Amino acid sequence: MNEIIAIYYEYALAYESNNMGALYFDDLQMLAEWVETNKVKNVKILRDKYGNFFVTEKRCPVCNEYATCLLVSVTYE
């Protein structure tokens, strides 16, 4: 199942590039808990035809804080 959601930009970039070393330990724990709880298989950042990100300001479902978020396509198991 796929869903389009908005998550904190640092989480989206780290997950898609598979570079978790860029995150603080607390952020890494929150992201890992979200992935495990929701059985996330893949996260893909959505871009327009020019390669620009879709950005919004809203409450992130991962950290539950108001933040700058990127729209992503999430695939669940």
Side-chain angles (χ1 to χ4, degrees):
M1 179 176 97
N2 287 351
E3 180 181 28
I4 295 176
I5 63 171
I7 63 173
Y8 181 46
Y9 77 95
E10 288 190 12
Y11 299 159
L13 293 171
Y15 195 91
E16 188 184 62
S17 67
N18 203 20
N19 181 13
M20 300 302 176
L23 297 176
Y24 289 112
F25 184 73
D26 292 345
D27 292 328
L28 186 58
Q29 282 183 312
M30 279 189 282
L31 184 59
E33 183 179 310
W34 176 75
V35 167
E36 183 178 327
T37 302
N38 294 293
K39 304 209 182 315
V40 174
K41 185 176 178 183
N42 190 25
V43 173
K44 182 176 183 328
I45 298 173
L46 300 178
R47 294 174 172 86
D48 66 11
K49 64 181 180 179
Y50 302 109
N52 300 314
F53 300 128
F54 292 102
V55 180
T56 185
E57 294 283 330
K58 65 173 299 208
R59 188 164 300 282
C60 172
V62 178
C63 62
N64 203 27
E65 292 184 18
Y66 193 80
T68 301
C69 298
L70 299 179
L71 288 182
V72 297
S73 174
V74 180
T75 305
Y76 301 101
E77 291 181 0

